[in-house]
Amino acid sequence: MDKKPRLGEFLKTRRSQLQPADVGLPDFGERRRVPGLRRDELAQLAGVGLSYYTRLEQGLSLNASPEVLDALARALGLDEVERAHLHDLARASRRTGTRRRPAPERAGDTTQQLLGAFGEAPAVVLGRRSDVLAWNRTGHALFAGHLDPHIPDQPDQRPNTARLVFLDAHTRDLYDADWPKKARDVVGKLRLAVGQYPDDPRLAALIGELTMNSAEFTTMWSEHRVRKWDLATYRMHHPLVGRMQLNLQTLNVPQEEGQRIVVATADVGTTSAAALCLLAQTSVPTVRQAEHTETPRSLRDRADSRG
């Protein structure tokens, strides 16, 4: 990812999405040669010089102060998440030299313990690129029962929620009528990740792959929308238990930067809650299945306990 123009691209795209009436400016019914606000209008609203703003948008000026960025955020009507993203992009554009690549991700022991504490509630651990680092039994059954349950243990083959949403037919069917909503939430989270981890080559490769293989992703990505959701409700259609309306809640993992746990619940007393209970029951492995699917580590641990 070329970091230098990212700030300018964000400013230009968000400027084009605003009309004069959106910010209290008269338009006098004039025909505009470009969509949205003109550069001079945004510069005036933010209280910065036009030439300075033009250089900022073109990537020729990389030293915007926090005060200028906050003024631009107010002029563009950005919310707190979008404003923080704007500052992330500005910091990334000022970095020089070779940066250390982010360390490989794994779900730590305490995170695994927390995952187990959710019991039958479907839960997954996601990394900074939205890779699945771990899931409990019902989390696997809900989100990706068609995949090998042990695949998160293999770093080079881990499922990625963005890749699943855009390129996997099972996941598209799972989110049913709410697929567009889920897709935009996924893209918005990836936008945030790009600002926070601009030197992550695997994140860049993921975005390149999705751009090449999904026109829908390309369209949503070009809108430069960012989202950070803590609670979202989706209508789902699971192949085993049918239709459900589930609440997906995100909890940040404090000891691991960029990691989060997503837990699925249903409102008490609803048919969705009954469907989740049925899913938990149908996903319980038999003794023979459990023996067949035990990992080498679990077999070794059991042997050690017998010794």
Side-chain angles (χ1 to χ4, degrees):
M1 292 176 287
D2 185 2
K3 294 181 292 183
K4 188 174 181 179
R6 252 186 254 144
L7 174 62
E9 287 176 359
F10 180 75
L11 291 170
K12 181 178 180 180
T13 301
R14 300 309 296 267
R15 174 172 62 83
S16 71
Q17 294 167 350
L18 285 177
Q19 298 301 319
D22 296 331
V23 293
L25 293 177
D27 61 12
F28 305 109
E30 61 181 318
R31 292 188 60 186
R32 291 177 168 252
R33 292 179 295 176
V34 295
L37 295 181
R38 296 191 300 262
R39 284 175 177 166
D40 63 302
E41 291 172 327
L42 181 58
Q44 180 181 358
L45 285 170
V48 301
L50 174 58
S51 61
Y52 174 73
Y53 175 76
T54 300
R55 292 195 305 274
L56 196 63
E57 195 173 279
Q58 292 175 341
L60 301 177
S61 179
L62 307 177
N63 60 348
S65 68
E67 292 76 18
V68 166
L69 294 173
D70 285 339
L72 290 171
R74 287 192 295 271
L76 289 168
L78 304 184
D79 60 26
E80 283 302 306
V81 174
E82 294 166 328
R83 184 190 67 80
H85 179 63
L86 181 66
H87 282 267
D88 284 339
L89 294 178
R91 280 191 291 270
S93 69
R94 291 193 292 266
R95 292 175 182 168
T96 59
T98 302
R99 305 286 296 183
R100 187 174 64 181
R101 293 183 178 185
E105 292 185 286
R106 60 179 294 272
D109 292 341
T110 55
T111 303
Q112 295 278 6
Q113 293 167 11
L114 180 58
L115 186 64
F118 288 107
E120 298 295 341
V124 297
V125 181
L126 300 180
R128 57 179 171 265
R129 307 180 202 94
S130 297
D131 290 336
V132 177
L133 305 183
W135 47 28
N136 62 9
R137 175 176 52 79
T138 45
H140 166 255
L142 174 62
F143 295 108
H146 61 305
L147 300 180
D148 181 348
H150 302 298
I151 200 170
D153 298 331
Q154 306 171 50
D156 293 335
Q157 299 183 42
R158 283 171 176 158
N160 176 277
T161 56
R163 189 180 289 114
L164 289 174
V165 165
F166 283 97
L167 304 181
D168 181 74
H170 172 94
T171 304
R172 182 181 285 263
D173 291 342
L174 175 66
Y175 283 97
D176 201 29
D178 276 347
W179 182 89
K181 175 185 176 182
K182 178 61 178 177
R184 292 189 182 279
D185 286 344
V186 164
V187 171
K189 185 66 180 69
L190 278 183
R191 273 288 177 193
L192 282 177
V194 166
Q196 294 165 345
Y197 308 101
D199 301 292
D200 189 334
R202 298 188 69 170
L203 178 59
L206 171 65
I207 292 167
E209 175 191 351
L210 293 172
T211 301
M212 291 293 294
N213 292 288
S214 173
E216 293 161 311
F217 176 85
T218 302
T219 298
M220 295 181 189
W221 186 254
S222 68
E223 296 170 356
H224 284 259
R225 297 289 182 183
V226 294
R227 296 187 183 187
K228 182 181 180 181
W229 54 272
D230 297 320
L231 178 64
T233 301
Y234 301 104
R235 291 168 291 175
M236 294 184 175
H237 187 196
H238 194 276
L240 292 181
V241 297
R243 299 188 184 279
M244 299 178 286
Q245 180 167 298
L246 300 183
N247 306 311
L248 302 190
Q249 186 167 348
T250 300
L251 309 172
N252 291 327
V253 179
Q255 70 271 22
E256 299 290 349
E257 182 183 0
Q259 291 187 20
R260 60 199 188 278
I261 297 179
V262 178
V263 185
T265 59
D267 293 344
V268 176
T270 62
T271 57
S272 298
L276 268 190
C277 289
L278 180 59
L279 181 64
Q281 294 169 7
T282 56
S283 63
V284 174
T286 64
V287 173
R288 180 173 298 179
Q289 288 172 329
E291 291 175 348
H292 178 71
T293 58
E294 278 186 306
T295 63
R297 180 178 177 180
S298 64
L299 290 171
R300 184 174 62 250
D301 292 344
R302 190 170 65 179
D304 290 343
S305 67
R306 290 174 178 174

